[in-house]
Amino acid sequence: MIKFDKDNLLFNLITKNTGYIFCIYKGKFPVHIHYGRQVSDITDVELTFPHMRRAFSPDDNFSDKTFSTDTLPMEYPFYGSCDFRSPALHAQYIDGSRVTVCDYEGYEIEKGKPDIKGLPHTYQDKDAECETLKIFLKDNLKGLKITLCYSVFEEKDIITRNVIIENQSDDPIRLNRTLSMTMDFDNMDYDFVHLFGSWANERHIQRTPLINAAITIDSKRGTSSHQHNPFFALVGKNTTEDMGDAYGFGLVYSGNFIAGAEVDQFGTTRAFMGINPFNSGWMLEKGESFYTPEVVMTYSHKGIGQMSRNFHNIIRDNLIRGKYKKAERPVLINNWEATYFNFDEEKILNIAKKAKDADIDLMVLDDGWFGKRDDDTTSLGDWFVDENKLPKGLKSLGEKVNSLGMKFGLWFEPEMVSAQSELYKAHPDWCIHIKGRHRSEARQQLVLDLSRQDVREYIIKVVCDILSSAPISYVKWDMNRHLSEVGSATLEPERQVELNHRFVLGLYEVLEAITSRFPDVLFEGCSGGGGRFDMGMLYYHPQIWTSDDSDAIERLYIQQGTSLIYPASSMGAHVSAVPNHQVGRVTPIDTRGNVAMAGQFGYELDLNNLPQEEFDAVKLQVKLYKKIRHIVQWGDLYRISSPYETNHAVWQYTSQDKTEIALFITTILGKPSARFENARLKDLEPDKIYIETLSGKEYTGAMLMNIGVYFRDNVDFNSQLMVFRVK
Ligand code: DGJ
């Protein structure tokens, strides 16, 4: 619900458990008042924020000299006047001036949620589920109009923000910094939580107190990156999984971003998020508009766990689209770690046949099926089948896989070109490069310039042609390098700085065209594992390969971190061979199965190479996963023990109707005299009887929540999966 108090120009955005309040102070300045638990009425705006002018605070040339924007909590600050903290917007005008001062021009409230042109975004699912507020601001001297958009998903405790910037002047305006949001807090008593990492090591959790400076996370790599994820949370000092304030912010964007929290001289905090202004900018011509990506925000006073569940719900219900939004996802087997580039039709069919014996649903053919790609040095861009490996083509292979009773899936890396390829020979200027400079390769490949329409058309055509040519039900869309020597052969010099953002816009255009043409195909995103695991990609790809590190123990940390914002239905997780290919660790088949079953389940090995007892275990895993996948994929996650803080990970998934629970307990290192631990379940009905279906044992909800389930960390990498059902 959006409440408007016209006497005070006060807006109160109310969700089931939260409230977000700001006003247009003195009829001019959008001032942030509150985000947190609901405050339904404000008696006097003057009581809601300290607005004393301080030494060195200039006044804003307003008749009232009691305040300055230097110290006001601002809703969307511009550079140039009296607020010296980091601005949300920095624009440059034809006369070289870089000062923006806006007046409030009005507001609009509408049902539903408008699209954000060219960008992925959350959407309203059913009528009246969402309302949108638009605040119009204008710099009348320079003709720059700003629209602040707020959409309120009342039932989900989610508020989204995005900004539209329009040039209403006759001259071009250069946008140097266009953040999607800032939010001012009146203190700095928070910890900053974010997800950092590297290849095969993504989304590790770091929690650190705010300091009297800025904490910034970002990407300058052209994608959202393995290194930092476009997400952060501000949580109270004592906030836990279940208690305390937790504010979460996630960006629906897959390119260079910046986010963080800046503490000012008086100990107030400005949180911020948006496109990275570094090496970026946009020339806005007369009459044009620029759209910032959307920020999804949530607040919970019930800790980090509820913050995550709020994100999971909005991502599953109002971001992911298409047939697989609600459909249970297939169990797949992928040949990458089984064969790498060394396969032929027979090998793939042998893997598929064995997988069918275990009732696996989908056979995915990974890298190496096209051009002359026997290793990673060649052929990206040459999307025609390698007849040496697959003499009868993809259609025949797909049909043979189908005739086993399985679906067939295929790997692509469409944004790339190998220097050794027909495509590169024909179009050496199609890649991102700067004339005369060395073109740095990574994994022997270059990035196609998706700002170019001819390149986008080529990608759409080749991918669509292949998808039409064979019975392909699934696509793994990979992206294995970041952008260097960022330049385009076709952009004018003054627009070269736009290339990073134009690349992302081009990618979204390509993905929209292909995914809408093949609505029944399940798309899984990938970027050297989880290097582009963000809400932007989830708009097109309902699931993403979480990491190239498939070791079960490593995955405990990666999946725990990923789950802070992203739901299990989006996290590709596979059982792979031992010794594990990334870290050499040998873990039991049950543990590998249990950790993978806590995500979007699959296999990445040749099941023909397993001893019979392990293959029998695989059969049981697939059978069990099919019984519990609705709990994992659509249920509520409760993180009971963290691998970052204890010697185990304990994850509870509760089905939406709250009658079924899957409980995953995995030990990291064993100790002979380990004490008994008890995993206390959360949010059950105390008086109901819960049967553990694998053992037949019965517990009351109160027992499970208050006494818990006993286990011991006495064996390395041990794991158990319990499944409870209300009697
Ligand atoms: C990187 C991906 O993360 C892997 O799963 C695999 O598809 C390789 N690329 C193939 O080159």
Side-chain angles (χ1 to χ4, degrees):
M1 182 185 16
I2 298 170
K3 269 170 64 174
F4 176 56
D5 162 359
K6 72 173 182 322
D7 298 330
N8 292 304
L9 291 180
L10 187 109
F11 298 90
N12 196 343
L13 282 48
I14 300 173
T15 71
K16 202 165 59 176
N17 298 294
T18 75
Y20 183 106
I21 307 176
F22 65 94
C23 72
I24 308 298
Y25 190 53
K26 306 284 182 189
K28 179 175 168 81
F29 302 101
V31 162
H32 181 74
I33 293 179
H34 171 75
Y35 187 30
R37 295 203 207 193
Q38 281 173 15
V39 179
S40 52
D41 292 302
I42 298 289
T43 53
D44 181 350
V45 165
E46 296 287 343
L47 301 176
T48 58
F49 50 89
H51 49 84
M52 192 174 72
R53 244 179 92 198
R54 314 288 286 248
F56 279 77
S57 293
D59 67 62
D60 291 79
N61 280 330
F62 219 64
S63 51
D64 180 349
K65 295 197 184 294
T66 60
F67 72 93
S68 163
T69 54
D70 184 29
T71 56
L72 282 183
M74 302 305 292
E75 195 55 28
Y76 193 76
F78 313 106
Y79 173 75
S81 189
C82 302
D83 183 349
F84 297 111
R85 294 159 291 181
S86 294
L89 184 117
H90 180 228
Q92 185 172 334
Y93 303 95
I94 192 89
D95 59 1
S97 70
R98 279 144 291 145
V99 175
T100 301
V101 179
C102 285
D103 288 323
Y104 169 72
E105 297 232 302
Y107 78 98
E108 246 172 48
I109 296 175
E110 63 184 65
K111 290 267 170 238
K113 189 162 186 301
D115 289 349
I116 304 178
K117 201 172 152 205
L119 287 166
H121 52 83
T122 55
Y123 57 87
Q124 160 171 280
D125 198 16
K126 299 176 208 94
D127 283 348
E129 210 205 341
C130 174
E131 263 184 309
T132 297
L133 166 67
K134 289 182 180 162
I135 301 289
F136 305 114
L137 310 171
K138 185 157 178 203
D139 185 321
N140 284 305
L141 185 66
K142 295 296 178 189
L144 190 71
K145 180 175 174 187
I146 315 264
T147 305
L148 307 180
C149 307
Y150 300 80
S151 293
V152 181
F153 289 88
E154 190 168 334
E155 285 304 306
K156 295 210 155 65
D157 284 331
I158 292 283
I159 295 173
T160 66
R161 288 180 62 177
N162 66 287
V163 180
I164 305 167
I165 303 161
E166 189 186 340
N167 182 352
Q168 294 188 340
S169 77
D170 290 333
D171 301 311
I173 299 175
R174 173 167 284 291
L175 302 175
N176 295 325
R177 181 179 172 101
T178 51
L179 298 191
S180 300
M181 72 116 211
T182 61
M183 196 189 297
D184 287 350
F185 292 77
D186 58 14
N187 65 76
M188 58 179 287
D189 303 332
Y190 296 101
D191 289 343
F192 186 83
V193 180
H194 75 111
L195 303 171
F196 73 96
S198 49
W199 171 75
N201 187 40
E202 299 90 337
R203 288 175 298 287
H204 284 251
I205 301 173
Q206 188 158 51
R207 177 170 177 166
T208 179
L210 293 182
I211 53 169
N212 290 83
I215 297 179
T216 301
I217 55 170
D218 79 343
S219 168
K220 303 181 199 72
R221 294 170 165 265
T223 77
S224 50
S225 88
H226 305 85
Q227 286 70 16
H228 283 151
N229 195 262
F231 156 80
F232 70 93
L234 286 177
V235 304
K237 301 265 174 220
N238 300 318
T239 294
T240 64
E241 276 292 305
D242 305 307
M243 278 165 36
D245 290 334
Y247 294 88
F249 305 89
L251 191 64
V252 189
Y253 191 60
S254 311
N256 287 349
F257 73 95
I258 190 172
E262 176 187 70
V263 174
D264 79 347
Q265 55 180 334
F266 304 116
T268 74
T269 302
R270 173 165 290 171
F272 55 90
M273 186 169 244
I275 294 178
N276 196 340
F278 173 76
N279 193 30
S280 137
W282 197 267
M283 187 66 85
L284 203 59
E285 298 293 342
K286 175 183 175 182
E288 285 180 355
S289 293
F290 182 84
Y291 294 76
T292 75
E294 173 177 271
V295 171
V296 176
M297 314 189 302
T298 190
Y299 163 78
S300 164
H301 65 273
K302 292 192 179 153
I304 299 172
Q306 190 58 47
M307 175 200 78
S308 296
R309 289 188 287 281
N310 293 348
F311 275 120
H312 298 173
N313 286 334
I314 194 88
I315 289 173
R316 284 188 304 222
D317 296 347
N318 303 86
L319 180 70
I320 286 172
R321 301 175 298 166
K323 174 175 162 183
Y324 283 95
K325 171 176 167 171
K326 291 280 170 191
E328 287 182 4
R329 311 276 170 74
V331 178
L332 67 82
I333 186 156
N334 177 305
N335 74 306
W336 178 241
E337 288 198 19
T339 66
Y340 295 103
F341 295 100
N342 181 15
F343 62 83
D344 55 19
E345 185 181 279
E346 196 188 339
K347 261 198 197 174
I348 298 302
L349 285 173
N350 281 341
I351 293 174
K353 276 181 200 143
K354 192 71 176 174
K356 179 62 198 169
D357 288 348
D359 201 23
I360 291 173
D361 305 310
L362 168 70
M363 173 76 226
V364 179
L365 177 57
D366 209 280
D367 194 354
W369 57 267
F370 52 93
K372 298 189 185 70
R373 194 158 162 92
D374 295 327
D375 55 33
D376 60 14
T377 58
T378 73
S379 301
L380 292 169
D382 297 346
W383 299 108
F384 45 83
V385 76
D386 178 354
E387 289 178 356
N388 288 324
K389 288 181 188 164
L390 304 174
K392 297 186 191 125
L394 286 172
K395 183 161 187 274
S396 154
L397 177 59
E399 283 168 354
K400 285 177 189 150
V401 170
N402 287 170
S403 70
L404 296 171
M406 293 175 86
K407 303 236 188 247
F408 177 59
L410 198 61
W411 179 96
F412 288 90
E413 194 175 356
E415 298 154 70
M416 296 291 152
V417 60
S418 303
Q420 275 192 57
S421 66
E422 299 301 318
L423 183 69
Y424 191 66
K425 255 188 243 153
H427 300 286
D429 62 331
W430 272 17
C431 66
I432 287 184
H433 71 283
I434 292 173
K435 203 170 165 205
R437 279 208 185 279
H438 171 68
R439 302 174 181 194
S440 300
E441 294 176 17
R443 211 191 186 208
Q444 289 79 235
Q445 63 198 57
L446 296 156
V447 184
L448 287 173
D449 178 359
L450 268 57
S451 73
R452 293 176 62 143
Q453 199 184 338
D454 48 1
V455 173
R456 297 196 296 273
E457 281 169 2
Y458 165 80
I459 295 176
I460 294 169
K461 178 161 182 356
V462 283
V463 174
C464 288
D465 283 354
I466 291 164
L467 294 184
S468 316
S469 73
I472 296 166
S473 312
Y474 161 106
V475 166
K476 179 173 173 187
W477 184 294
D478 207 346
M479 199 281 188
N480 283 303
R481 67 157 292 178
H482 293 140
L483 280 56
S484 63
E485 291 91 30
V486 176
S488 167
T490 53
L491 282 177
E492 307 95 77
E494 66 277 15
R495 289 199 179 271
Q496 290 286 336
V497 73
E498 299 172 6
L499 183 54
N500 274 313
H501 185 51
R502 285 185 181 272
F503 176 84
V504 180
L505 293 177
L507 171 66
Y508 290 151
E509 188 185 306
V510 166
L511 288 171
E512 185 65 38
I514 296 173
T515 54
S516 56
R517 222 177 114 189
F518 294 92
D520 292 339
V521 171
L522 172 60
F523 284 78
E524 176 154 352
C526 179
S527 177
R532 197 163 56 181
F533 205 127
D534 58 61
M535 285 197 276
M537 293 314 284
L538 285 171
Y539 188 66
Y540 306 97
H541 300 157
Q543 57 194 60
I544 297 177
W545 179 226
T546 309
S547 175
D548 271 347
D549 191 339
S550 61
D551 171 67
I553 299 304
E554 293 278 294
R555 276 299 188 107
L556 295 179
Y557 300 91
I558 295 171
Q559 291 176 202
Q560 172 100 4
T562 306
S563 79
L564 282 197
I565 165 162
Y566 305 107
S569 61
S570 68
M571 273 192 242
H574 299 170
V575 173
S576 60
V578 289
N580 174 265
H581 292 197
Q582 293 79 39
V583 294
R585 189 176 283 133
V586 177
T587 51
I589 188 77
D590 287 346
T591 299
R592 282 176 274 156
N594 288 350
V595 175
M597 276 196 254
Q600 180 43 53
F601 189 49
Y603 290 83
E604 184 129 353
L605 74 175
D606 187 344
L607 295 172
N608 292 296
N609 299 337
L610 290 187
Q612 187 58 42
E613 64 276 14
E614 290 200 0
F615 183 66
D616 291 341
V618 166
K619 283 180 161 170
L620 289 176
Q621 286 170 356
V622 177
K623 198 165 168 197
L624 181 56
Y625 187 71
K626 289 188 176 181
K627 283 196 187 134
I628 63 164
R629 70 178 148 188
H630 63 284
I631 312 177
V632 174
Q633 291 175 3
W634 318 123
D636 287 331
L637 168 67
Y638 297 85
R639 290 175 296 251
I640 294 180
S641 286
S642 163
Y644 292 90
E645 288 155 18
T646 68
N647 190 29
H648 40 259
V650 182
W651 299 326
Q652 170 191 338
Y653 292 91
T654 302
S655 64
Q656 280 184 344
D657 67 3
K658 300 207 175 291
T659 62
E660 292 170 289
I661 291 143
L663 183 70
F664 298 88
I665 302 175
T666 305
T667 292
I668 301 170
L669 288 177
K671 297 204 179 0
S673 301
R675 69 170 199 218
F676 279 97
E677 307 282 345
N678 42 2
R680 294 194 179 92
L681 278 65
K682 295 180 186 173
D683 218 1
L684 308 184
E685 294 279 348
D687 299 329
K688 289 210 166 126
I689 299 289
Y690 292 79
I691 306 176
E692 201 286 306
T693 55
L694 306 173
S695 65
K697 291 185 181 147
E698 295 191 1
Y699 304 74
T700 64
M703 280 169 73
L704 287 172
M705 287 193 290
N706 301 318
I707 298 172
V709 173
Y710 282 100
F711 68 97
R712 283 177 75 205
D713 286 337
N714 56 341
V715 176
D716 279 0
F717 320 137
N718 202 15
S719 172
Q720 48 182 311
L721 165 55
M722 304 173 88
V723 182
F724 299 89
R725 211 182 40 235
V726 171
K727 191 169 172 182

